[in-house]
Amino acid sequence: MKKNSTKVFALIFIAVMNLFLPQYVNSLTIPSLEPVRKQVGKLNISVDPRLELLCAIQGMSDYQYIQRDNSYFNAVKSYFASFTDLQAIPITNKLAGIGFSYDAPVAFMLYLTCSGECKPRLPYADYLIKRAQGEQYLNEYQQAIHEFAVKTNFNQFWKQHKSFYNQIIELSAFELSEMDWIFALEKYFNSSHNSYNIIISPLLRGGYGFSIPAENGKKDLYACLSLDWKRNDRIPFLNRSDFLFYLWHEFGHSFVNPEVEKYPEIIERTSALFKPIQDKMRNQAYGDWNICMNEHIIRAINIRLTGKYIGQAEADLLLKNELNNSFVYIEPVLEKLKKYEEKREKEGITFSDYVPDLLQVFDSISQTGCEALALSDLPFSGPINNIFQTNKTAVIYPTNSLPGESLEETQKYVKEIHNRFFKKGLLIPDTVALKTDLSGYGLIVYGTIESNLFLKKQESQLPFKIKDHTIIADRAYAESGLKFITCLPNPQNEKLGMVIYTAISNKDIPDINNVFHGPEDYILFIDRNQVLKKGFYKKADKWEF
């Protein structure tokens, strides 16, 4: 009887522990970690344990938008691979599936205390609640992240790599030490915020800007930026050109957006300007006219700052890139900004004072009927994502099978891609594509050069070559399983684009889309974790490496 009583007690104890274990784990506190940081003028540069914890969780999940092809991710994978059963992993996947991705999880981490408690330090912004489809999901994620930090002993991983983080910060600070970048920003707007913070992360992909309320009523500005492993595959750092691409843009949002939003009647009155460019804007994640207007203004300011502090040649190149990306109203905005700069110097006005005058430029454009503003005259100039800025797509699959080779799996895969992503567009074999007028379509071409006859016809015009089991790009690559994704102008219409999904062998075409791609002109890889080369072409008379 005593033995049975002991068993019953043990079962009750286990049941009670399972019931209260989540609350118990969430009550645990591990020593708080401090970011590794350095100051350059008014700019704080850091590697932050909150983002490294987030990237570790995302890296163990199916989340796409982090960098996995580097030695640091290998270390992350080695340390955390045995913890994939923790709740933070499936919750990350679930939230990403409902749109809580890109900037949202990064911003969410800034609302938590540093790794230790990982508890909310501020009420969540309405934007985050909306992206997560409810505050309860943010609370659930916070608890799961806390559990992950405790059970994996994240502090130990951080301490093991602290010297690596210090090297990143030292190299980045040295690269940016030539001037006070924040002084230039504050001088332009003739106003200031509480603090300016750049958080750099070895696994983050892209750049995101945020503003968070400070205790003094002002705002703490954050730019969370990725690092380029191609420049240094041992210690990546924030180089000057990447820094400039993001700095004034991301911090600029906190100066521009709140001021523009004070004038909803102007935004509404000029909203017809969005229609001619809405497809191209939405393909860049700018889904409405308010956002698009802000982007025009911020990018124009970036060009003005670049011309003053970096050089006019760089500013001219920026302008060309923005026009290629369909920011077709940017030149009138630039002219209006020149008038603001004159008034600021003479009268001491702030950017906030001038915004009503600045927004009149959009009124003027809409009244003169120049909405298209040379949009149709711009040739396609990449990147891959811009292929899909047209409503009409044509997916072209290969039919020319070589001896001993079957195209059945490749054709099946291409049809699945069409049905999943491009169902409203054409799906045609290469033989039909050769006889069809495709000048009004964005082209999506699959297969090896030999197996896709449409691609074979363009072979002499391609900037890359494939022969003898080798892909020749900026150099020769002969690794097994090589795949190549690239964009080029549509050969029938240079104003539209073509994306090519090719490989050395057709057996490597199925699942070729399963690598993060789009922001670049080309990507050469073996699988999603082994990217050998990606970047942009030189585009003069012809596209070349």
Side-chain angles (χ1 to χ4, degrees):
M1 185 70 180
K2 187 175 181 181
K3 187 179 292 185
N4 288 337
S5 297
T6 302
K7 286 182 179 179
V8 170
F9 176 77
L11 290 171
I12 292 172
F13 177 77
I14 291 170
V16 170
M17 286 302 294
N18 285 336
L19 181 64
F20 290 103
L21 187 60
Q23 294 91 327
Y24 171 71
V25 170
N26 202 45
S27 69
L28 292 177
T29 300
I30 54 178
S32 184
L33 297 171
E34 291 298 320
V36 174
R37 61 164 61 95
K38 195 157 189 174
Q39 193 159 350
V40 177
K42 294 181 73 173
L43 182 66
N44 302 308
I45 308 172
S46 69
V47 175
D48 192 294
R50 291 171 293 184
L51 260 64
E52 297 317 297
L53 174 60
L54 173 68
C55 286
I57 292 169
Q58 291 174 335
M60 294 301 98
S61 74
D62 297 329
Y63 190 79
Q64 294 185 37
Y65 310 113
I66 66 168
Q67 299 191 78
R68 287 181 167 88
D69 51 329
N70 57 72
S71 56
Y72 178 62
F73 176 74
N74 293 338
V76 167
K77 186 176 180 180
S78 175
Y79 186 93
F80 295 102
S82 60
F83 297 99
T84 54
D85 58 336
L86 296 178
Q87 279 300 299
I89 308 302
I91 293 175
T92 297
N93 292 332
K94 181 180 76 173
L95 287 174
I98 62 173
F100 195 78
S101 55
Y102 294 107
D103 60 315
V106 176
F108 173 67
M109 294 304 291
L110 299 181
Y111 279 80
L112 305 183
T113 57
C114 266
S115 172
E117 288 186 329
C118 287
K119 291 186 176 179
R121 64 186 185 92
L122 293 166
Y124 298 131
D126 291 342
Y127 172 74
L128 287 177
I129 295 172
K130 183 178 179 181
R131 288 287 296 274
Q133 298 187 12
E135 188 170 1
Q136 69 273 23
Y137 296 115
L138 294 179
N139 293 331
E140 179 185 339
Y141 200 25
Q142 175 270 316
Q143 292 170 14
I145 289 171
H146 173 85
E147 178 196 35
F148 189 91
V150 171
K151 288 192 172 181
T152 63
N153 192 4
F154 175 78
N155 281 22
Q156 177 177 312
F157 177 83
W158 173 268
K159 290 172 184 176
Q160 288 173 355
H161 293 84
K162 195 170 182 178
S163 62
F164 170 65
Y165 305 141
N166 272 305
Q167 288 176 290
I168 290 173
I169 293 301
E170 289 296 330
L171 288 170
S172 299
F174 178 78
E175 185 83 353
L176 309 180
S177 60
E178 63 183 88
M179 67 173 281
D180 189 339
W181 306 98
I182 301 304
F183 171 80
L185 192 70
E186 291 184 337
K187 183 177 180 181
Y188 193 89
F189 289 100
N190 204 8
S191 60
S192 64
H193 287 285
N194 186 56
S195 71
Y196 304 86
N197 309 277
I198 283 186
I199 301 176
I200 49 182
S201 172
L203 299 187
L204 194 68
R205 188 186 294 277
Y208 309 111
F210 313 102
S211 63
I212 295 180
E215 292 181 358
N216 61 5
K218 291 193 173 185
K219 292 180 179 178
D220 295 315
L221 307 191
Y222 292 87
C224 299
L225 309 180
S226 60
L227 297 173
D228 188 349
W229 284 87
K230 297 194 299 293
R231 297 178 187 275
N232 188 330
D233 61 5
R234 193 176 67 87
I235 308 293
F237 60 92
L238 187 62
N239 66 78
R240 183 173 175 272
S241 60
D242 290 345
F243 166 76
L244 289 175
F245 179 81
Y246 287 115
L247 172 76
W248 289 326
H249 184 114
E250 297 303 340
F251 286 159
H253 277 290
S254 297
F255 287 93
V256 171
N257 293 24
E259 300 302 328
V260 172
E261 288 164 9
K262 292 177 182 177
Y263 304 95
E265 72 283 355
I266 300 179
I267 297 171
E268 175 62 27
R269 190 167 65 237
T270 60
S271 60
L273 294 175
F274 189 56
K275 187 174 181 180
I277 56 174
Q278 63 183 356
D279 292 334
K280 298 193 176 187
M281 288 293 111
R282 284 170 177 159
N283 282 322
Q284 298 175 70
Y286 306 132
D288 61 44
W289 174 235
N290 185 5
I291 297 172
C292 183
M293 181 186 282
N294 287 333
E295 286 295 325
H296 272 83
I297 295 169
I298 289 165
R299 289 163 189 262
I301 290 170
N302 198 10
I303 290 169
R304 295 297 296 157
L305 286 167
T306 299
K308 181 174 178 60
Y309 293 100
I310 310 302
Q312 194 54 47
E314 288 86 348
D316 292 342
L317 182 59
L318 270 180
L319 174 57
K320 182 179 179 182
N321 288 340
E322 302 301 6
L323 289 171
N324 285 338
N325 286 326
S326 302
F327 290 95
V328 296
Y329 311 124
I330 198 167
E331 289 178 296
V333 177
L334 284 167
E335 292 305 311
K336 200 74 172 176
L337 286 173
K338 292 176 185 177
K339 294 179 181 179
Y340 158 65
E341 293 160 19
E342 292 173 4
K343 293 193 73 171
R344 184 195 61 207
E345 295 305 310
K346 290 178 181 178
E347 303 172 21
I349 67 167
T350 66
F351 178 78
S352 177
D353 297 330
Y354 190 74
V355 166
D357 287 344
L358 177 61
L359 296 184
Q360 286 179 10
V361 73
F362 297 105
D363 266 325
S364 299
I365 295 169
S366 61
Q367 290 167 13
T368 55
C370 297
E371 289 91 343
L373 218 61
L375 181 64
S376 61
D377 294 329
L378 297 174
F380 176 80
S381 61
I384 293 168
N385 279 337
N386 284 350
I387 296 292
F388 313 110
Q389 290 187 358
T390 174
N391 287 327
K392 298 170 69 176
T393 57
V395 179
I396 304 171
Y397 60 87
T399 63
N400 186 39
S401 57
L402 301 179
E405 179 183 62
S406 171
L407 293 178
E408 183 178 350
E409 288 301 314
T410 297
Q411 292 171 350
K412 179 181 176 183
Y413 172 72
V414 175
K415 291 173 184 177
E416 288 173 354
I417 290 292
H418 172 264
N419 290 336
R420 185 174 178 186
F421 298 109
F422 308 107
K423 199 169 185 178
K424 293 182 180 179
L426 298 180
L427 173 65
I428 54 177
D430 49 10
T431 50
V432 173
L434 287 171
K435 303 172 185 177
T436 304
D437 179 3
L438 297 172
S439 60
Y441 292 82
L443 306 183
I444 304 156
V445 187
Y446 285 87
T448 65
I449 292 177
E450 297 300 325
S451 69
N452 192 303
L453 297 175
F454 184 86
L455 192 55
K456 179 67 176 177
K457 184 179 179 181
Q458 316 303 326
E459 183 175 17
S460 63
Q461 304 301 316
L462 301 176
F464 66 96
K465 304 294 179 188
I466 300 180
K467 60 180 182 180
D468 300 328
H469 302 288
T470 301
I471 295 181
I472 302 169
D474 60 315
R475 64 173 178 83
Y477 296 83
E479 288 84 347
S480 176
L482 274 179
K483 306 171 186 69
F484 191 59
I485 304 173
T486 184
C487 67
L488 292 165
N490 178 332
Q492 297 181 10
N493 180 1
E494 67 172 7
K495 295 170 189 174
L496 297 179
M498 170 175 66
V499 61
I500 300 169
Y501 292 87
T502 191
I504 290 176
S505 170
N506 275 294
K507 68 180 176 60
D508 295 315
I509 298 295
D511 208 34
I512 192 172
N513 291 71
N514 190 23
V515 65
F516 180 83
H517 63 287
E520 59 283 296
D521 288 344
Y522 62 84
I523 179 168
L524 179 70
F525 63 103
I526 297 171
D527 57 43
R528 63 187 297 180
N529 295 321
Q530 299 181 77
V531 176
L532 306 182
K533 179 76 175 178
K534 60 181 176 180
F536 300 89
Y537 293 111
K538 295 178 182 177
K539 299 155 190 164
D541 296 330
K542 60 180 181 178
W543 291 35
E544 58 187 2
F545 291 93

